[in-house]
Amino acid sequence: MSIRPLTVIGFDADDTLWQNEQFYRLTEEHFRGLLADFAEGEHISQRLLEAEKRNLSHYGFGIKGFTLSMIETALEVTEGRVPTQIIGEILSIGRDLLSHPVETMPHARDTLEALAGDYYLVLITKGDLFDQERKLAQSGLGDYFDAVEIVSDKSATTYRRIFGKAADGPEQAMMIGNSLKSDIVPAIATGAWGVFVPHELTWVLERVEKPTEAPRFREIAHLGELLPLLDEIGR
């Protein structure tokens, strides 16, 4: 009996299966407004991005780290003179992020429903554990997955471990997501397929060059194009 070329499919969550970055952008706009008396909006955003970069190794990915980075930025921009009511407002908008409604992406449900049972489906996402569990539950997509992996970061080592458990190695696996840096490049490095689904609001720290020379790199406009792609590569 021949070995199937593909048995496991991994899906990213934020901005692949449901909207996420748009809520961060709205929060950042609110944050800029809170500090408008102290600095220009672009300067505030730049300082916030720098704080997020510094803090990734301490707080990881997710809303809680983002909120702490906003507080740190407020202290820096105001040279320690930020009013306590603004700190309170930052904490409030951070909490709002933790309760925003889940808006699934076009074709997400139909695609997962079509694949469930034919493939071993794994949700592979990074970020705050409680928040990611909340969004998965509210999305109504959880029942389609055979496994859920909420990780601190996504690297080739991460994908080797996950695909090694779910398949006979990454060569029989595919990763689908909107982040070239986290979802596609490290998955391809293990020998898996990497299917890039661009999102117009992908976080700047997740952007790298497309691995267009990699034989297992593919790009689709939306999840509705995944089933024809699978037919093309021989599912």
Side-chain angles (χ1 to χ4, degrees), residues 29-185:
E29 285 299 315
H30 190 171
F31 175 64
R32 286 167 52 147
L34 291 175
L35 297 178
D37 290 339
F38 298 93
E40 295 293 330
E42 285 302 315
H43 178 70
I44 295 169
S45 290
Q46 183 60 39
R47 296 294 290 271
L48 176 59
L49 181 61
E50 292 169 359
E52 290 180 276
K53 289 179 181 178
R54 290 194 305 270
N55 290 333
L56 276 178
S57 61
H58 301 292
Y59 308 137
F61 296 87
I63 292 170
K64 293 174 184 176
F66 181 63
T67 303
L68 289 170
S69 292
M70 284 193 290
I71 293 173
E72 183 176 315
T73 301
L75 290 168
E76 291 179 353
V77 167
T78 65
E79 298 180 342
R81 294 179 290 108
V82 57
T84 56
Q85 61 265 32
I86 289 183
I87 296 295
E89 184 68 14
I90 292 170
L91 291 171
S92 177
I93 61 177
R95 283 192 295 270
D96 287 344
L97 269 178
L98 287 166
S99 61
H100 67 73
V102 176
E103 178 186 342
T104 57
M105 300 293 287
H107 310 290
R109 186 177 304 277
D110 292 344
T111 299
L112 291 173
E113 184 175 5
L115 296 175
D118 290 337
Y119 296 92
Y120 189 91
L121 302 184
V122 187
L123 182 70
I124 307 174
T125 181
K126 62 186 180 183
D128 181 80
L129 175 64
F130 293 156
D131 187 43
Q132 294 300 82
E133 288 180 336
R134 174 190 69 84
K135 287 188 284 189
L136 178 59
Q138 291 187 9
S139 74
L141 303 178
D143 288 343
Y144 296 117
F145 289 97
D146 299 288
V148 175
E149 296 275 354
I150 301 176
V151 299
S152 59
D153 200 5
K154 293 178 179 177
S155 64
T157 300
T158 304
Y159 291 117
R160 286 192 189 95
R161 175 181 63 80
I162 294 172
F163 293 147
K165 290 192 303 182
D168 294 330
E171 293 79 8
Q172 288 185 279
M174 171 182 285
M175 183 62 192
I176 299 162
N178 72 294
S179 170
L180 289 164
K181 181 179 179 181
S182 293
D183 302 321
I184 307 307
V185 171

Side-chain angles (χ1 to χ4, degrees), residues 207-219:
R207 299 174 191 169
V208 296
E209 292 295 320
K210 295 180 184 179
T212 53
E213 301 301 316
R216 286 195 161 198
F217 171 72
R218 296 291 188 276
E219 180 175 345

